[in-house]
Amino acid sequence: MSPIPLQRPRRRRRSAAIRSLVREHELSPADLIQPLFVLHGRGVEREVRSMPGVFQFSVDEKLDREVDTVRSRGISAVLLFGLPASKDDAGSENYSEDGIVQRALRRLREQHPDLLLITDVCCCEYTSHGHCGVLRNGSVDNDATLEILGRVSVSHAQAGADIVAPSGMMDGMVAAIRSSLDSSGNSDTAILSYAVKYASGFYGPFREAADSAPAFGDRRQYQMDPANLREALLEAALDEAEGADLLMVKPALAYLDVVRAVRERTQLPLVAYNVSGEYSMVKAAARQGWIDECRVVLEALTGMRRAGADAIISYHAKDAALWLRGGDGE
Ligand code: PBG
């Protein structure tokens, strides 16, 4: 006869009350950041085909209504992406005072003084070639791009951004942006660096949402090789040394080991980006009735918190925030 087990972990799982008592990690709407796509025009609310439930909004009542919904669910941070009216080689709308993100910032800043406004700072949505910087001889010129990123960041700060989030994986981008912000009187504006960003197939649906697919080639000359972990630690350390206020790892699900490893080596807050492809896969399977969307979303987001992320950017943020109020999903 087998001995009676002295330790029976199941005793701690018998009821919702004891499970919540011994729960190790918490996911709350306060940890979530909602991405938002803004575009020119009036009265526009256009669903992204590859991301059901995600919309591009014009900067008017359409955007207001979405932000009201997001806030009413307990989320207090948004990440803005803009679709410009026109594109050119340098992506000049990116740093124009009348740019789409600048307009959205001014409106949101005025209507929601305590909403945390984060902006993605990159060139790919604005350049005619779709790469994350200016080109020279067919590849992205790192140092010429830094100058543009500085200008974009200052114009976002002046329009009301609390945090700028450079995502182009240019070397020295954090230092360049910090110095531009400081020398223009914007030393209170923080930098959330996409420090560890892999060249990932999981960004597929985003390129439709933000109309930012590269016209030729791919992003492997600046985004990281998915096979590398030590390099992630190096990138994170460099951005911390350059003055980043928060660090990010992106994507999230296939890189939770990277989240954990970066978490153990920095005291800075760490953000995980639950990217577009992760969203669309869940949506597609849920629409087929193959998985329970609420359950798998909360499970995945909790996994990111358990891996060490303090905050999570997710297209599911506003749904997750609603579901979190409905208990543990059982
Ligand atoms: C801009 C940027 C991208 C994403 C965030 N900022 C696209 C890319 O790098 O190709 C991806 C976000 C997502 O897939 O949800 N550089």
Side-chain angles (χ1 to χ4, degrees):
M1 230 184 62
S2 51
I4 295 168
L6 213 52
Q7 276 290 352
R8 288 184 188 268
R10 287 180 55 184
R11 281 193 281 258
R12 290 184 296 263
R13 298 175 197 143
R14 291 186 64 234
S15 67
I18 193 163
R19 288 195 296 274
S20 81
L21 188 79
V22 302
R23 187 161 295 134
E24 299 176 36
H25 297 279
E26 212 73 57
L27 176 69
S28 128
D31 309 322
L32 300 175
I33 299 167
Q34 178 72 51
L36 292 173
F37 297 98
V38 291
L39 81 185
H40 291 279
R42 293 207 61 82
V44 186
E45 181 176 349
R46 189 163 77 200
E47 191 167 29
V48 177
R49 197 184 43 85
S50 56
M51 302 178 74
V54 171
F55 295 81
Q56 299 161 333
F57 297 100
S58 49
V59 181
D60 54 19
E61 306 72 41
K62 294 294 187 186
L63 179 63
D64 300 346
R65 183 137 27 96
E66 180 69 0
V67 172
D68 287 343
T69 305
V70 166
R71 300 207 74 193
S72 71
R73 297 180 185 183
I75 295 170
S76 49
V78 297
L79 171 62
L80 294 173
F81 293 97
L83 289 96
S86 64
K87 307 192 186 219
D88 55 42
D89 276 359
S92 52
E93 185 178 320
N94 210 352
Y95 44 82
S96 144
E97 208 184 312
D98 272 332
I100 186 63
V101 166
Q102 288 81 354
R103 291 182 44 212
L105 284 167
R106 283 193 296 269
R107 188 176 181 101
L108 293 174
R109 182 79 299 153
E110 189 184 312
Q111 299 195 351
H112 302 275
D114 53 351
L115 178 65
L116 194 69
L117 299 176
I118 310 172
T119 58
D120 186 85
V121 171
C122 193
C123 298
C124 63
E125 295 99 327
Y126 297 88
T127 49
S128 39
H129 45 74
H131 276 287
C132 299
V134 288
L135 295 182
R136 198 176 52 185
N137 302 329
S139 80
V140 173
D141 181 336
N142 191 89
D143 297 6
T145 302
L146 294 182
E147 202 183 314
I148 293 180
L149 298 179
R151 284 173 75 173
V152 174
S153 300
V154 169
S155 87
H156 287 181
Q158 283 167 351
D162 297 295
I163 302 179
V164 292
S167 64
M169 289 299 281
M170 296 300 124
D171 293 336
M173 66 184 183
V174 173
I177 289 172
R178 187 71 271 156
S179 118
S180 300
L181 288 171
D182 290 349
S183 61
S184 58
N186 295 292
S187 55
D188 285 340
T189 308
I191 300 174
L192 160 58
S193 181
Y194 285 69
V196 181
K197 179 174 177 180
Y198 288 92
S200 171
F202 288 102
Y203 308 151
F206 176 92
R207 292 180 182 170
E208 182 190 330
D211 186 24
S212 64
F216 64 89
D218 55 37
R219 307 208 200 284
R220 283 177 235 238
Q221 290 187 351
Y222 38 100
Q223 299 180 349
M224 284 175 53
D225 183 337
N228 293 356
L229 173 63
R230 276 191 331 238
E231 190 184 1
L233 305 179
L234 178 64
E235 285 281 5
L238 287 172
D239 284 9
E240 178 164 354
E242 287 179 30
D245 299 282
L246 308 95
L247 299 176
M248 190 197 301
V249 170
K250 175 190 176 190
L253 278 181
Y255 299 88
L256 293 181
D257 60 321
V258 181
V259 173
R260 167 54 48 197
V262 174
R263 170 71 290 153
E264 284 169 0
R265 285 164 183 82
T266 181
Q267 301 306 319
L268 293 179
L270 184 59
V271 179
Y273 198 144
N274 175 216
V275 301
S276 58
E278 300 170 12
Y279 174 88
S280 298
M281 289 194 302
V282 170
K283 277 283 172 194
R287 289 194 153 194
Q288 296 283 333
W290 293 340
I291 55 169
D292 174 341
E293 184 177 10
C294 156
R295 219 175 143 175
V296 302
V297 167
L298 296 183
E299 187 175 331
L301 296 175
T302 299
M304 294 165 205
R305 295 272 293 136
R306 194 187 59 242
D310 299 292
I312 302 164
I313 300 165
S314 176
Y315 303 96
H316 267 117
K318 69 175 181 169
D319 291 337
L322 189 65
W323 295 327
L324 281 170
R325 304 189 160 177
D328 69 358
E330 282 173 20

mmCIF file of all heavy atoms in Angstrom, residues 123-146:
data_model
loop_
_atom_site.group_PDB
_atom_site.id
_atom_site.type_symbol
_atom_site.label_atom_id
_atom_site.label_comp_id
_atom_site.label_asym_id
_atom_site.label_seq_id
_atom_site.Cartn_x
_atom_site.Cartn_y
_atom_site.Cartn_z
ATOM 1 N N CYS A 123 9.695 55.594 -36.914
ATOM 2 C CA CYS A 123 9.491 56.217 -38.224
ATOM 3 C C CYS A 123 8.632 55.375 -39.154
ATOM 4 O O CYS A 123 8.145 55.883 -40.172
ATOM 5 C CB CYS A 123 10.842 56.466 -38.894
ATOM 6 S SG CYS A 123 11.882 57.610 -37.959
ATOM 7 N N CYS A 124 8.424 54.095 -38.833
ATOM 8 C CA CYS A 124 7.889 53.195 -39.866
ATOM 9 C C CYS A 124 6.473 53.527 -40.316
ATOM 10 O O CYS A 124 6.103 53.252 -41.454
ATOM 11 C CB CYS A 124 7.994 51.739 -39.422
ATOM 12 S SG CYS A 124 7.032 51.332 -37.965
ATOM 13 N N GLU A 125 5.657 54.142 -39.458
ATOM 14 C CA GLU A 125 4.309 54.508 -39.889
ATOM 15 C C GLU A 125 4.337 55.740 -40.796
ATOM 16 O O GLU A 125 3.352 56.056 -41.447
ATOM 17 C CB GLU A 125 3.403 54.834 -38.690
ATOM 18 C CG GLU A 125 3.117 53.662 -37.763
ATOM 19 C CD GLU A 125 3.996 53.674 -36.529
ATOM 20 O OE1 GLU A 125 5.165 54.120 -36.627
ATOM 21 O OE2 GLU A 125 3.538 53.223 -35.472
ATOM 22 N N TYR A 126 5.443 56.468 -40.776
ATOM 23 C CA TYR A 126 5.495 57.784 -41.434
ATOM 24 C C TYR A 126 6.326 57.821 -42.712
ATOM 25 O O TYR A 126 6.181 58.721 -43.523
ATOM 26 C CB TYR A 126 6.051 58.821 -40.443
ATOM 27 C CG TYR A 126 5.142 58.988 -39.248
ATOM 28 C CD1 TYR A 126 5.264 58.172 -38.121
ATOM 29 C CD2 TYR A 126 4.115 59.928 -39.274
ATOM 30 C CE1 TYR A 126 4.405 58.298 -37.043
ATOM 31 C CE2 TYR A 126 3.253 60.065 -38.199
ATOM 32 C CZ TYR A 126 3.391 59.241 -37.084
ATOM 33 O OH TYR A 126 2.537 59.360 -36.030
ATOM 34 N N THR A 127 7.237 56.847 -42.836
ATOM 35 C CA THR A 127 8.114 56.873 -44.009
ATOM 36 C C THR A 127 7.457 56.152 -45.187
ATOM 37 O O THR A 127 6.762 55.151 -45.002
ATOM 38 C CB THR A 127 9.469 56.195 -43.698
ATOM 39 O OG1 THR A 127 9.218 54.923 -43.082
ATOM 40 C CG2 THR A 127 10.301 57.047 -42.752
ATOM 41 N N SER A 128 7.715 56.657 -46.395
ATOM 42 C CA SER A 128 7.131 56.043 -47.583
ATOM 43 C C SER A 128 7.668 54.624 -47.793
ATOM 44 O O SER A 128 6.982 53.769 -48.334
ATOM 45 C CB SER A 128 7.419 56.914 -48.809
ATOM 46 O OG SER A 128 8.718 57.447 -48.727
ATOM 47 N N HIS A 129 8.886 54.359 -47.325
ATOM 48 C CA HIS A 129 9.469 53.027 -47.498
ATOM 49 C C HIS A 129 9.137 52.087 -46.343
ATOM 50 O O HIS A 129 9.422 50.898 -46.391
ATOM 51 C CB HIS A 129 10.989 53.139 -47.663
ATOM 52 C CG HIS A 129 11.621 54.077 -46.677
ATOM 53 N ND1 HIS A 129 11.784 53.735 -45.361
ATOM 54 C CD2 HIS A 129 12.073 55.348 -46.808
ATOM 55 C CE1 HIS A 129 12.345 54.764 -44.715
ATOM 56 N NE2 HIS A 129 12.528 55.766 -45.572
ATOM 57 N N GLY A 130 8.548 52.611 -45.259
ATOM 58 C CA GLY A 130 8.112 51.756 -44.159
ATOM 59 C C GLY A 130 9.206 51.249 -43.239
ATOM 60 O O GLY A 130 8.948 50.408 -42.370
ATOM 61 N N HIS A 131 10.428 51.749 -43.390
ATOM 62 C CA HIS A 131 11.471 51.328 -42.447
ATOM 63 C C HIS A 131 11.492 52.258 -41.238
ATOM 64 O O HIS A 131 10.917 53.346 -41.258
ATOM 65 C CB HIS A 131 12.840 51.253 -43.142
ATOM 66 C CG HIS A 131 13.033 49.939 -43.853
ATOM 67 N ND1 HIS A 131 13.273 48.758 -43.180
ATOM 68 C CD2 HIS A 131 12.959 49.615 -45.172
ATOM 69 C CE1 HIS A 131 13.360 47.765 -44.060
ATOM 70 N NE2 HIS A 131 13.162 48.258 -45.279
ATOM 71 N N CYS A 132 12.179 51.812 -40.182
ATOM 72 C CA CYS A 132 12.111 52.509 -38.893
ATOM 73 C C CYS A 132 13.103 53.664 -38.794
ATOM 74 O O CYS A 132 13.458 54.088 -37.685
ATOM 75 C CB CYS A 132 12.301 51.519 -37.753
ATOM 76 S SG CYS A 132 11.011 50.249 -37.720
ATOM 77 N N GLY A 133 13.564 54.180 -39.919
ATOM 78 C CA GLY A 133 14.483 55.309 -39.883
ATOM 79 C C GLY A 133 14.700 55.827 -41.283
ATOM 80 O O GLY A 133 14.048 55.364 -42.233
ATOM 81 N N VAL A 134 15.619 56.796 -41.413
ATOM 82 C CA VAL A 134 15.906 57.302 -42.760
ATOM 83 C C VAL A 134 16.912 56.379 -43.441
ATOM 84 O O VAL A 134 17.768 55.775 -42.796
ATOM 85 C CB VAL A 134 16.450 58.756 -42.730
ATOM 86 C CG1 VAL A 134 15.337 59.722 -42.367
ATOM 87 C CG2 VAL A 134 17.596 58.903 -41.764
ATOM 88 N N LEU A 135 16.782 56.278 -44.754
ATOM 89 C CA LEU A 135 17.622 55.329 -45.487
ATOM 90 C C LEU A 135 18.844 56.008 -46.095
ATOM 91 O O LEU A 135 18.787 57.171 -46.496
ATOM 92 C CB LEU A 135 16.814 54.694 -46.625
ATOM 93 C CG LEU A 135 15.629 53.822 -46.229
ATOM 94 C CD1 LEU A 135 14.980 53.239 -47.485
ATOM 95 C CD2 LEU A 135 16.052 52.689 -45.290
ATOM 96 N N ARG A 136 19.932 55.236 -46.122
ATOM 97 C CA ARG A 136 21.086 55.638 -46.926
ATOM 98 C C ARG A 136 21.649 54.377 -47.554
ATOM 99 O O ARG A 136 21.905 53.399 -46.841
ATOM 100 C CB ARG A 136 22.148 56.326 -46.057
ATOM 101 C CG ARG A 136 23.126 57.123 -46.943
ATOM 102 C CD ARG A 136 24.135 57.904 -46.145
ATOM 103 N NE ARG A 136 24.811 57.046 -45.163
ATOM 104 C CZ ARG A 136 25.673 57.495 -44.270
ATOM 105 N NH1 ARG A 136 25.956 58.770 -44.208
ATOM 106 N NH2 ARG A 136 26.246 56.661 -43.427
ATOM 107 N N ASN A 137 21.790 54.397 -48.836
ATOM 108 C CA ASN A 137 22.253 53.223 -49.585
ATOM 109 C C ASN A 137 21.435 51.974 -49.252
ATOM 110 O O ASN A 137 21.988 50.898 -49.035
ATOM 111 C CB ASN A 137 23.734 52.937 -49.304
ATOM 112 C CG ASN A 137 24.604 54.130 -49.650
ATOM 113 O OD1 ASN A 137 24.269 54.885 -50.567
ATOM 114 N ND2 ASN A 137 25.690 54.308 -48.911
ATOM 115 N N GLY A 138 20.127 52.154 -49.141
ATOM 116 C CA GLY A 138 19.256 50.992 -48.972
ATOM 117 C C GLY A 138 19.174 50.425 -47.567
ATOM 118 O O GLY A 138 18.512 49.415 -47.342
ATOM 119 N N SER A 139 19.861 51.051 -46.584
ATOM 120 C CA SER A 139 19.640 50.560 -45.226
ATOM 121 C C SER A 139 19.486 51.735 -44.271
ATOM 122 O O SER A 139 19.775 52.895 -44.601
ATOM 123 C CB SER A 139 20.745 49.596 -44.791
ATOM 124 O OG SER A 139 21.870 50.290 -44.399
ATOM 125 N N VAL A 140 18.970 51.446 -43.077
ATOM 126 C CA VAL A 140 18.624 52.525 -42.153
ATOM 127 C C VAL A 140 19.888 53.156 -41.575
ATOM 128 O O VAL A 140 20.743 52.468 -41.011
ATOM 129 C CB VAL A 140 17.708 52.002 -41.025
ATOM 130 C CG1 VAL A 140 17.493 53.090 -39.983
ATOM 131 C CG2 VAL A 140 16.369 51.541 -41.592
ATOM 132 N N ASP A 141 19.987 54.469 -41.725
ATOM 133 C CA ASP A 141 21.124 55.231 -41.224
ATOM 134 C C ASP A 141 20.859 55.537 -39.746
ATOM 135 O O ASP A 141 20.030 56.386 -39.405
ATOM 136 C CB ASP A 141 21.244 56.521 -42.045
ATOM 137 C CG ASP A 141 22.426 57.381 -41.604
ATOM 138 O OD1 ASP A 141 22.874 57.257 -40.444
ATOM 139 O OD2 ASP A 141 22.885 58.194 -42.424
ATOM 140 N N ASN A 142 21.552 54.827 -38.887
ATOM 141 C CA ASN A 142 21.306 54.914 -37.446
ATOM 142 C C ASN A 142 21.381 56.354 -36.923
ATOM 143 O O ASN A 142 20.432 56.871 -36.322
ATOM 144 C CB ASN A 142 22.336 54.058 -36.702
ATOM 145 C CG ASN A 142 22.011 53.862 -35.233
ATOM 146 O OD1 ASN A 142 21.320 52.922 -34.865
ATOM 147 N ND2 ASN A 142 22.490 54.754 -34.380
ATOM 148 N N ASP A 143 22.506 57.021 -37.177
ATOM 149 C CA ASP A 143 22.726 58.302 -36.512
ATOM 150 C C ASP A 143 21.866 59.426 -37.082
ATOM 151 O O ASP A 143 21.439 60.324 -36.342
ATOM 152 C CB ASP A 143 24.216 58.660 -36.527
ATOM 153 C CG ASP A 143 25.027 57.617 -35.742
ATOM 154 O OD1 ASP A 143 24.425 56.601 -35.317
ATOM 155 O OD2 ASP A 143 26.236 57.807 -35.552
ATOM 156 N N ALA A 144 21.560 59.337 -38.381
ATOM 157 C CA ALA A 144 20.650 60.339 -38.959
ATOM 158 C C ALA A 144 19.250 60.141 -38.375
ATOM 159 O O ALA A 144 18.493 61.101 -38.178
ATOM 160 C CB ALA A 144 20.624 60.205 -40.481
ATOM 161 N N THR A 145 18.904 58.890 -38.075
ATOM 162 C CA THR A 145 17.586 58.602 -37.511
ATOM 163 C C THR A 145 17.472 59.130 -36.074
ATOM 164 O O THR A 145 16.401 59.590 -35.651
ATOM 165 C CB THR A 145 17.318 57.084 -37.562
ATOM 166 O OG1 THR A 145 17.404 56.665 -38.927
ATOM 167 C CG2 THR A 145 15.951 56.737 -37.012
ATOM 168 N N LEU A 146 18.576 59.093 -35.333
ATOM 169 C CA LEU A 146 18.542 59.564 -33.939
ATOM 170 C C LEU A 146 18.069 61.011 -33.848
ATOM 171 O O LEU A 146 17.309 61.377 -32.955
ATOM 172 C CB LEU A 146 19.935 59.453 -33.296
ATOM 173 C CG LEU A 146 20.477 58.036 -33.105
ATOM 174 C CD1 LEU A 146 21.841 58.091 -32.423
ATOM 175 C CD2 LEU A 146 19.493 57.175 -32.313
#
